[in-house]
Amino acid sequence: MPYDRTIKVAGTFHETAEAVRRALADQGFGILTEIDVRATLKAKLDHDMEPYLILGACNPPLARQALDADRSVGLLLPCNVVVRTDGDQVIVQAIDPSTMVTLTGVDAMAPVADEAARRLDAALATLAEASA
């Protein structure tokens, strides 16, 4: 089962990361967490890797609805969005919100996941259009 929504964009890693933040904000998502995996692995393990950023995106009204449907869904929040490089390409990946429905088995989660997916897809579409 695919669990991601993925696009490839033109531009630099840093430009793309900033564009992702703006596109998510335009869809009502704030960034709760930001993990620079590259810097962390370098600092902790002296391991070198490509730029890799995990953004924990949260839309508070949607998060509230999801938590009202199932308090344990916090294990799947926030919606992670990854910005990473693969060779000379920049890849943006977002978790597919339908995984919340699949993993929890809670039908009441479906409308929340659908709205989150609509907003994440809109953000990704904005990034793809700007990159074209």
Side-chain angles (χ1 to χ4, degrees), residues 17-31 55-59 79-83 92 94 119-124 126-127:
E18 287 304 313
V20 168
R21 288 182 187 93
R22 285 191 304 274
L24 289 170
D26 289 346
Q27 292 300 319
F29 290 93
I31 304 301
L55 301 172
C58 178
N59 178 296
C79 293
N80 282 330
V81 177
V82 169
V83 181
V92 180
R119 290 170 180 262
L120 288 171
D121 286 346
L124 292 174
T126 297
L127 294 163

Short mmCIF file of all heavy atoms in Angstrom, two decimals, residues 17-31 55-59 79-83 92 94 119-124 126-127:
data_model
loop_
_atom_site.label_atom_id
_atom_site.label_comp_id
_atom_site.label_asym_id
_atom_site.label_seq_id
_atom_site.Cartn_x
_atom_site.Cartn_y
_atom_site.Cartn_z
N ALA A 17 12.71 23.80 0.21
CA ALA A 17 12.25 23.73 1.60
C ALA A 17 11.45 24.97 1.97
O ALA A 17 10.40 24.87 2.62
CB ALA A 17 13.43 23.53 2.54
N GLU A 18 11.91 26.14 1.56
CA GLU A 18 11.18 27.38 1.84
C GLU A 18 9.85 27.40 1.10
O GLU A 18 8.82 27.81 1.65
CB GLU A 18 12.02 28.60 1.47
CG GLU A 18 13.15 28.86 2.43
CD GLU A 18 12.66 29.01 3.88
OE1 GLU A 18 11.68 29.74 4.14
OE2 GLU A 18 13.27 28.37 4.76
N ALA A 19 9.84 26.95 -0.16
CA ALA A 19 8.60 26.90 -0.94
C ALA A 19 7.61 25.93 -0.32
O ALA A 19 6.40 26.20 -0.31
CB ALA A 19 8.91 26.51 -2.39
N VAL A 20 8.09 24.82 0.23
CA VAL A 20 7.22 23.85 0.89
C VAL A 20 6.58 24.49 2.12
O VAL A 20 5.37 24.36 2.35
CB VAL A 20 7.99 22.56 1.27
CG1 VAL A 20 7.19 21.69 2.21
CG2 VAL A 20 8.39 21.79 0.01
N ARG A 21 7.36 25.18 2.91
CA ARG A 21 6.82 25.85 4.10
C ARG A 21 5.70 26.82 3.72
O ARG A 21 4.65 26.88 4.36
CB ARG A 21 7.92 26.59 4.85
CG ARG A 21 8.89 25.69 5.58
CD ARG A 21 9.94 26.52 6.34
NE ARG A 21 10.96 25.70 6.91
CZ ARG A 21 12.13 25.40 6.32
NH1 ARG A 21 12.42 25.88 5.12
NH2 ARG A 21 13.01 24.63 6.92
N ARG A 22 5.94 27.61 2.65
CA ARG A 22 4.93 28.58 2.20
C ARG A 22 3.68 27.87 1.68
O ARG A 22 2.55 28.27 2.00
CB ARG A 22 5.51 29.49 1.12
CG ARG A 22 6.47 30.55 1.64
CD ARG A 22 6.81 31.58 0.57
NE ARG A 22 7.37 31.01 -0.64
CZ ARG A 22 8.66 30.73 -0.83
NH1 ARG A 22 9.54 30.98 0.12
NH2 ARG A 22 9.07 30.22 -1.98
N ALA A 23 3.86 26.84 0.87
CA ALA A 23 2.72 26.12 0.29
C ALA A 23 1.88 25.47 1.38
O ALA A 23 0.64 25.48 1.31
CB ALA A 23 3.20 25.08 -0.72
N LEU A 24 2.53 24.92 2.39
CA LEU A 24 1.79 24.32 3.51
C LEU A 24 1.04 25.39 4.29
O LEU A 24 -0.12 25.21 4.66
CB LEU A 24 2.74 23.53 4.42
CG LEU A 24 3.29 22.24 3.84
CD1 LEU A 24 4.40 21.69 4.71
CD2 LEU A 24 2.19 21.20 3.65
N ALA A 25 1.69 26.51 4.55
CA ALA A 25 1.04 27.61 5.28
C ALA A 25 -0.19 28.11 4.53
O ALA A 25 -1.23 28.39 5.14
CB ALA A 25 2.03 28.75 5.52
N ASP A 26 -0.09 28.19 3.21
CA ASP A 26 -1.23 28.63 2.40
C ASP A 26 -2.42 27.68 2.52
O ASP A 26 -3.55 28.07 2.26
CB ASP A 26 -0.83 28.76 0.93
CG ASP A 26 0.09 29.93 0.67
OD1 ASP A 26 0.22 30.81 1.55
OD2 ASP A 26 0.68 29.98 -0.43
N GLN A 27 -2.17 26.44 2.92
CA GLN A 27 -3.22 25.45 3.09
C GLN A 27 -3.61 25.26 4.57
O GLN A 27 -4.29 24.31 4.92
CB GLN A 27 -2.80 24.11 2.47
CG GLN A 27 -2.71 24.16 0.96
CD GLN A 27 -4.03 24.52 0.32
OE1 GLN A 27 -5.09 24.06 0.74
NE2 GLN A 27 -3.98 25.37 -0.70
N GLY A 28 -3.13 26.16 5.42
CA GLY A 28 -3.53 26.13 6.83
C GLY A 28 -2.69 25.25 7.72
O GLY A 28 -3.05 24.99 8.86
N PHE A 29 -1.54 24.81 7.23
CA PHE A 29 -0.64 23.97 8.03
C PHE A 29 0.47 24.82 8.64
O PHE A 29 1.09 25.63 7.96
CB PHE A 29 0.02 22.88 7.17
CG PHE A 29 -0.90 21.80 6.71
CD1 PHE A 29 -1.54 21.90 5.48
CD2 PHE A 29 -1.14 20.69 7.50
CE1 PHE A 29 -2.39 20.90 5.05
CE2 PHE A 29 -1.99 19.68 7.07
CZ PHE A 29 -2.62 19.78 5.84
N GLY A 30 0.72 24.60 9.91
CA GLY A 30 1.88 25.17 10.56
C GLY A 30 2.92 24.06 10.71
O GLY A 30 2.60 22.88 10.63
N ILE A 31 4.15 24.45 10.90
CA ILE A 31 5.23 23.47 11.08
C ILE A 31 5.51 23.36 12.59
O ILE A 31 6.00 24.30 13.20
CB ILE A 31 6.51 23.89 10.32
CG1 ILE A 31 6.21 24.11 8.84
CG2 ILE A 31 7.61 22.85 10.53
CD1 ILE A 31 5.66 22.90 8.11
N LEU A 55 9.51 17.79 7.96
CA LEU A 55 8.68 18.84 8.52
C LEU A 55 7.42 18.21 9.09
O LEU A 55 6.73 17.46 8.40
CB LEU A 55 8.29 19.86 7.43
CG LEU A 55 9.45 20.56 6.73
CD1 LEU A 55 8.94 21.40 5.56
CD2 LEU A 55 10.22 21.43 7.71
N GLY A 56 7.12 18.49 10.33
CA GLY A 56 5.90 18.00 10.96
C GLY A 56 4.81 19.05 10.79
O GLY A 56 4.76 20.03 11.53
N ALA A 57 3.95 18.85 9.80
CA ALA A 57 2.92 19.83 9.45
C ALA A 57 1.62 19.53 10.19
O ALA A 57 1.19 18.39 10.27
CB ALA A 57 2.69 19.82 7.95
N CYS A 58 1.00 20.60 10.72
CA CYS A 58 -0.24 20.43 11.47
C CYS A 58 -1.26 21.49 11.07
O CYS A 58 -0.94 22.68 11.04
CB CYS A 58 0.03 20.53 12.97
SG CYS A 58 -1.46 20.39 13.98
N ASN A 59 -2.46 21.04 10.78
CA ASN A 59 -3.59 21.93 10.57
C ASN A 59 -4.45 21.76 11.83
O ASN A 59 -5.08 20.71 12.00
CB ASN A 59 -4.35 21.53 9.31
CG ASN A 59 -5.56 22.39 9.07
OD1 ASN A 59 -6.49 22.38 9.86
ND2 ASN A 59 -5.54 23.12 7.96
N CYS A 79 1.29 15.49 10.31
CA CYS A 79 1.51 14.97 8.95
C CYS A 79 2.96 15.27 8.56
O CYS A 79 3.34 16.44 8.46
CB CYS A 79 0.56 15.64 7.96
SG CYS A 79 -1.16 15.24 8.20
N ASN A 80 3.74 14.25 8.35
CA ASN A 80 5.13 14.47 7.99
C ASN A 80 5.27 14.76 6.50
O ASN A 80 4.64 14.12 5.66
CB ASN A 80 6.00 13.27 8.35
CG ASN A 80 6.31 13.24 9.83
OD1 ASN A 80 6.40 14.27 10.47
ND2 ASN A 80 6.49 12.05 10.36
N VAL A 81 6.11 15.75 6.21
CA VAL A 81 6.45 16.13 4.85
C VAL A 81 7.98 16.10 4.77
O VAL A 81 8.65 16.69 5.61
CB VAL A 81 5.91 17.52 4.49
CG1 VAL A 81 6.33 17.93 3.08
CG2 VAL A 81 4.39 17.56 4.64
N VAL A 82 8.49 15.39 3.79
CA VAL A 82 9.94 15.24 3.63
C VAL A 82 10.39 16.03 2.41
O VAL A 82 9.76 15.98 1.35
CB VAL A 82 10.32 13.75 3.46
CG1 VAL A 82 11.77 13.59 3.04
CG2 VAL A 82 10.04 12.98 4.74
N VAL A 83 11.49 16.75 2.58
CA VAL A 83 12.19 17.41 1.47
C VAL A 83 13.57 16.78 1.45
O VAL A 83 14.27 16.78 2.46
CB VAL A 83 12.29 18.94 1.66
CG1 VAL A 83 12.99 19.58 0.47
CG2 VAL A 83 10.92 19.55 1.90
N VAL A 92 9.84 16.03 -2.89
CA VAL A 92 8.97 16.42 -1.78
C VAL A 92 7.95 15.30 -1.61
O VAL A 92 7.30 14.90 -2.58
CB VAL A 92 8.24 17.75 -2.06
CG1 VAL A 92 7.34 18.12 -0.89
CG2 VAL A 92 9.25 18.87 -2.34
N ALA A 94 4.81 13.75 1.00
CA ALA A 94 3.90 13.96 2.12
C ALA A 94 3.24 12.62 2.45
O ALA A 94 2.97 11.82 1.56
CB ALA A 94 2.83 14.99 1.77
N ARG A 119 -5.85 19.26 1.05
CA ARG A 119 -4.96 20.39 1.34
C ARG A 119 -3.49 20.06 1.02
O ARG A 119 -2.78 20.90 0.47
CB ARG A 119 -5.10 20.82 2.79
CG ARG A 119 -6.44 21.48 3.07
CD ARG A 119 -6.66 21.69 4.57
NE ARG A 119 -7.93 22.31 4.84
CZ ARG A 119 -8.10 23.62 5.06
NH1 ARG A 119 -7.05 24.42 5.03
NH2 ARG A 119 -9.29 24.10 5.31
N LEU A 120 -3.05 18.87 1.36
CA LEU A 120 -1.67 18.48 1.04
C LEU A 120 -1.48 18.40 -0.48
O LEU A 120 -0.46 18.83 -1.02
CB LEU A 120 -1.31 17.15 1.69
CG LEU A 120 -1.11 17.19 3.20
CD1 LEU A 120 -0.97 15.78 3.76
CD2 LEU A 120 0.10 18.04 3.57
N ASP A 121 -2.48 17.84 -1.18
CA ASP A 121 -2.40 17.77 -2.64
C ASP A 121 -2.34 19.16 -3.25
O ASP A 121 -1.62 19.39 -4.22
CB ASP A 121 -3.58 16.99 -3.21
CG ASP A 121 -3.48 15.49 -2.97
OD1 ASP A 121 -2.38 15.01 -2.60
OD2 ASP A 121 -4.51 14.80 -3.13
N ALA A 122 -3.10 20.10 -2.69
CA ALA A 122 -3.07 21.48 -3.20
C ALA A 122 -1.69 22.10 -3.00
O ALA A 122 -1.17 22.79 -3.88
CB ALA A 122 -4.15 22.32 -2.52
N ALA A 123 -1.10 21.85 -1.84
CA ALA A 123 0.25 22.37 -1.58
C ALA A 123 1.25 21.76 -2.56
O ALA A 123 2.08 22.48 -3.13
CB ALA A 123 0.67 22.07 -0.13
N LEU A 124 1.16 20.45 -2.78
CA LEU A 124 2.08 19.79 -3.71
C LEU A 124 1.86 20.29 -5.14
O LEU A 124 2.82 20.48 -5.89
CB LEU A 124 1.92 18.27 -3.63
CG LEU A 124 2.38 17.62 -2.33
CD1 LEU A 124 2.03 16.14 -2.31
CD2 LEU A 124 3.86 17.84 -2.08
N THR A 126 0.83 23.24 -6.03
CA THR A 126 1.43 24.57 -6.11
C THR A 126 2.92 24.47 -6.35
O THR A 126 3.48 25.19 -7.17
CB THR A 126 1.15 25.35 -4.80
OG1 THR A 126 -0.26 25.54 -4.67
CG2 THR A 126 1.85 26.70 -4.79
N LEU A 127 3.57 23.56 -5.63
CA LEU A 127 5.01 23.37 -5.79
C LEU A 127 5.35 22.84 -7.18
O LEU A 127 6.30 23.31 -7.81
CB LEU A 127 5.53 22.40 -4.73
CG LEU A 127 5.46 22.90 -3.30
CD1 LEU A 127 5.61 21.73 -2.32
CD2 LEU A 127 6.50 23.97 -3.05
#
